[in-house]
């Protein structure tokens, strides 16, 4: 039998096959199973093996681990694919394993890929030979074993769940392929930007094999530039297509678009807001991210110039949840247009920031006695709430001349409304209130 890990690889073999790890230390991810002290690592180290099922998404390393284990055990490796095999193939594999055992030639590993595709009777065919040790059975499945495998097989084989590798792990695999001079591209001097590697890792969506396939196609498309093969962004877009545009949502391009969207609404450009919103949605942005940004804009940039903006933004969010993306996206677009056309004021935004800065920069002034709560007799004896004027008992429900700031901040103004939209009315009301305060203060001065 040809050694699975021979050093001379077919030059026409796919990159993913050439880069398959040859030892456990090269295996990417699955630290919860192959990390120090973890079950599959202990199995390899001790050589005390049991039959098991590897459950995980495509490209997470199920076949790779089976081959690594077989190589580590120096076992005879047999492989079946339930997609292309039947009872005849199962019998042939069993017979081969029996002969190997009779010759005392070591252990046999039978790896069955897509084992869930075998029917109940086909799965049952493995049972007696798992029990008598004819072979070490390793099944691989992308489906939940509890639903797709019969209980008899599950009772004889443990199930290990493999996780999707993170983008960092996939990036490590891609960089290894680029730098490996024996099986990868190390000798070919490929020039590819780091952000392109990130885009491939993102597009692979946890599938190591797919990431290497994408890299291989991209390198094949790259152009020769002197002694180097240069990978361009145009080539990357050709290979990744929509996946690349979706990748932008995690990078600088996405945040540039969000910035353009926010500034378009702030700048009262409905067309700009719609364009950048469409660009973000086309790139895979979550519509609710845009809805959240509109809520922030309604408070920060529209403010009290049009308080309805905040409610309209909330309504758009609610519509999206009730009717889904189609009509929901349109509701968010409606809110974006409304906010763009609404009068603008950042007066509340500035006032709140000033109030926060004032609190941070100054001492914690005591609450004036007349504003303190007086729930007990002792509190009343201490003067809490004394001379407090209940606004509803005053003319126009306003206690002219009453002070609501600590004495040290008396006369300080945080909120200064603009003369735009409803805030113009608010400004007029505040001017009237200030006039009443001044009149009350003058009266008290004249009375004394």
């Amino acid at each position: 039998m040809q050694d699975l890990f021979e050093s001379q690889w077919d030059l026409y073999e796919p990159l993913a096959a050439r880069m398959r790890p040859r030892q456990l230390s090269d295996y990417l991810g699955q630290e919860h199973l192959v990390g120090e002290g973890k079950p599959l690592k202990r199995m390899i180290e001790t050589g005390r093996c049991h039959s098991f099922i590897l459950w995980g998404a495509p490209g997470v390393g199920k076949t790779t681990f089976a081959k690594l284990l077989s190589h580590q055990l120096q076992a005879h490796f047999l492989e079946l694919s339930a997609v292309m095999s039947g009872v005849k193939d199962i019998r042939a594999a069993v017979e081969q394993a029996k002969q190997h055992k009779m010759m005392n030639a070591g252990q046999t590993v039978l790896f069955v890929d897509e084992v869930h595709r075998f029917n109940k009777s086909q799965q049952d065919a493995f049972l007696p030979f798992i029990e008598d040790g004819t072979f070490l059975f390793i099944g691989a499945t992308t489906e939940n074993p509890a639903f797709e495998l019969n209980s008899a097989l599950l009772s004889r084989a443990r199930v290990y769940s493999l996780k999707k590798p993170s983008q960092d792990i996939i990036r490590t695999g891609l960089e290894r392929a680029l730098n490996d001079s024996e099986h990868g591209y190390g000798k070919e001097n490929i020039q590819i930007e780091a952000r392109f590697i990130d885009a491939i890792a993102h597009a692979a969506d946890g599938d190591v094999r797919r990431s290497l396939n994408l890299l291989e196609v991209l390198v094949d498309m790259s152009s020769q530039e002197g002694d180097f093969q240069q990978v361009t962004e145009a080539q990357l877009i050709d290979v990744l297509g929509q996946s690349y545009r979706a990748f932008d949502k995690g990078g600088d391009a996405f945040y540039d678009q969000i910035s353009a969207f926010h500034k378009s609404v702030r700048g009262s450009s409905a067309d700009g807001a719609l364009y950048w919103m469409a660009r973000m949605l086309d790139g895979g942005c979550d519509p609710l991210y845009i809805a959240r940004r509109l809520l922030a804009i309604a408070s920060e940039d529209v403010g009290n110039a049009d308080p309805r903006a905040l409610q309209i933004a909330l309504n758009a969010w609610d519509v999206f949840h009730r009717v889904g993306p189609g009509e929901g996206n349109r509701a968010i677009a409606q809110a974006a247009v409304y906010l763009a056309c609404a009068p603008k004021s950042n007066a509340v935004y500035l006032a709140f920031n000033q109030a926060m800065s004032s609190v941070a920069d100054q001492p914690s002034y005591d609450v004036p006695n007349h504003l303190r709560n007086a729930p007990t007799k002792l509190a009343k004896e201490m003067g809490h709430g004394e001379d407090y004027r209940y606004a509803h008992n005053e003319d126009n429900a306003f206690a002219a001349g009453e002070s609501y700031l600590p004495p040290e901040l008396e006369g300080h103004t945080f909120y200064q409304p603009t003369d735009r939209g409803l805030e113009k009315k608010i400004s007029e009301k505040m001017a009237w209130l200030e006039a009443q305060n001044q009149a009350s203060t003058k009266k008290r001065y004249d009375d004394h």
Side-chain angles (χ1 to χ4, degrees):
M1 179 180 174
Q2 188 181 25
D3 192 332
L4 291 164
F5 293 91
E6 61 184 0
S7 60
Q8 297 299 318
W9 289 80
D10 189 335
L11 293 176
Y12 298 101
E13 207 167 14
L15 177 64
R18 301 201 308 271
M19 292 306 301
R20 195 183 292 278
R22 292 155 180 77
Q23 53 190 11
L24 191 62
S25 59
D26 294 330
Y27 189 67
L28 293 174
Q30 314 309 333
E31 287 298 313
H32 65 296
L33 296 177
V34 300
E36 201 59 44
K38 300 304 180 181
L40 296 184
K41 177 70 175 295
R42 290 200 306 271
M43 183 190 299
I44 288 180
E45 290 174 340
T46 62
R48 294 195 296 271
C49 300
H50 54 263
S51 293
F52 57 92
I53 307 293
L54 296 174
W55 171 31
V60 297
K62 299 185 294 294
T63 303
T64 294
F65 181 80
K67 291 186 174 182
L68 282 172
L69 176 62
S70 177
H71 180 65
Q72 183 73 24
L73 298 175
Q74 297 182 332
H76 180 57
F77 186 84
L78 297 175
E79 181 174 2
L80 291 177
S81 171
V83 177
M84 304 179 65
S85 303
V87 174
K88 181 180 177 181
D89 301 290
I90 295 174
R91 287 173 180 165
V94 169
E95 188 60 33
Q96 193 173 349
K98 282 181 175 180
Q99 292 177 5
H100 198 74
K101 185 178 181 181
M102 288 173 59
M103 295 168 58
N104 293 319
Q107 193 168 20
T108 295
V109 169
L110 176 60
F111 175 69
V112 182
D113 197 16
E114 302 288 340
V115 64
H116 63 276
R117 293 182 181 271
F118 277 142
N119 59 38
K120 183 180 184 299
S121 63
Q122 289 170 323
Q123 292 178 30
D124 286 343
F126 296 112
L127 302 181
F129 308 106
I130 294 174
E131 289 184 343
D132 68 12
T134 299
F135 47 67
L136 175 68
F137 179 86
I138 303 177
T141 179
T142 56
E143 304 298 325
N144 190 330
F147 300 129
E148 301 296 333
L149 300 182
N150 67 48
S151 57
L153 181 58
L154 289 176
S155 71
R156 292 163 174 82
R158 299 182 194 177
V159 175
Y160 295 108
S161 176
L162 277 66
K163 300 176 181 178
K164 275 190 174 185
S166 66
Q167 288 187 36
D168 286 339
I169 290 174
I170 292 180
R171 189 184 302 110
T172 298
L174 292 169
E175 291 170 348
R176 182 184 296 172
L178 286 167
N179 295 324
D180 189 321
S181 58
E182 185 177 359
H183 307 293
Y185 295 114
K187 292 181 179 178
E188 298 183 25
N189 297 319
I190 306 297
Q191 287 194 336
I192 179 171
E193 294 185 37
R195 64 190 180 97
F196 294 175
I197 298 296
D198 291 341
I200 295 172
H202 178 273
D205 190 28
D207 188 330
V208 177
R209 181 173 54 243
R210 181 164 186 254
S211 74
L212 292 170
N213 290 341
L214 290 171
L215 177 63
E216 186 172 27
V217 173
L218 188 60
V219 171
D220 288 345
M221 291 179 59
S222 63
S223 36
Q224 193 73 31
E225 300 287 345
D227 295 332
F228 299 96
Q229 282 183 260
Q230 181 70 47
V231 176
T232 67
E233 186 163 12
Q235 292 163 347
L236 184 69
I237 293 172
D238 285 341
V239 172
L240 300 187
Q242 181 65 26
S243 293
Y244 180 68
R245 302 177 81 168
F247 166 73
D248 279 349
K249 70 181 181 178
D252 292 341
F254 170 71
Y255 291 106
D256 286 344
Q257 289 169 13
I258 276 290
S259 175
F261 174 74
H262 192 149
K263 289 170 181 172
S264 296
V265 177
R266 180 187 290 151
S268 300
S269 173
D271 292 330
L274 288 172
Y275 174 79
W276 293 115
M277 177 179 170
R279 278 286 300 275
M280 288 185 290
L281 292 176
D282 181 64
C285 176
D286 180 359
L288 290 179
Y289 182 93
I290 300 172
R292 287 193 293 271
R293 181 52 65 103
L294 284 172
L295 280 170
I297 293 172
S299 176
E300 176 183 345
D301 295 296
V302 178
N304 283 338
D306 188 349
R308 291 170 298 184
L310 199 59
Q311 187 59 55
I312 287 172
L314 280 169
N315 288 345
W317 189 321
D318 187 45
V319 168
F320 185 92
H321 278 296
R322 289 174 182 270
V323 301
E327 292 81 358
N329 286 349
R330 189 169 61 242
I332 295 173
Q334 178 183 344
V337 169
Y338 185 92
L339 266 63
C341 297
K344 305 297 188 297
S345 171
N346 68 345
V348 173
Y349 173 78
L350 294 175
F352 179 68
N353 286 345
Q354 288 175 17
M356 291 296 294
S357 295
S358 178
V359 168
D361 295 341
Q362 298 184 51
S364 299
Y365 299 123
D366 291 336
V367 175
N369 263 3
H370 70 286
L371 297 179
R372 292 190 180 194
N373 191 27
T376 66
K377 180 180 179 181
L378 177 61
K380 292 176 181 177
E381 290 174 352
M382 295 175 66
H384 293 186
E386 188 176 347
D387 297 329
Y388 169 69
R389 297 164 60 195
Y390 187 59
H392 291 288
N393 292 338
E394 306 278 340
D395 291 342
N396 298 304
F398 176 61
E402 185 76 298
S403 175
Y404 297 94
L405 286 170
E408 296 85 351
L409 294 178
E410 189 67 40
H412 190 88
T413 301
F414 294 112
Y415 180 46
Q416 300 180 39
T418 69
D419 61 354
R420 296 184 292 275
L422 181 63
E423 220 166 33
K424 182 178 181 179
K425 295 290 187 181
I426 295 174
S427 180
E428 292 172 355
K429 174 67 179 291
M430 290 182 68
W432 180 84
L433 293 172
E434 179 58 24
Q436 298 301 306
N437 279 333
Q438 291 178 0
S440 176
T441 300
K442 183 176 185 300
K443 184 176 184 304
R444 287 201 306 271
Y445 179 81
D446 291 343
D447 289 345
H448 286 81

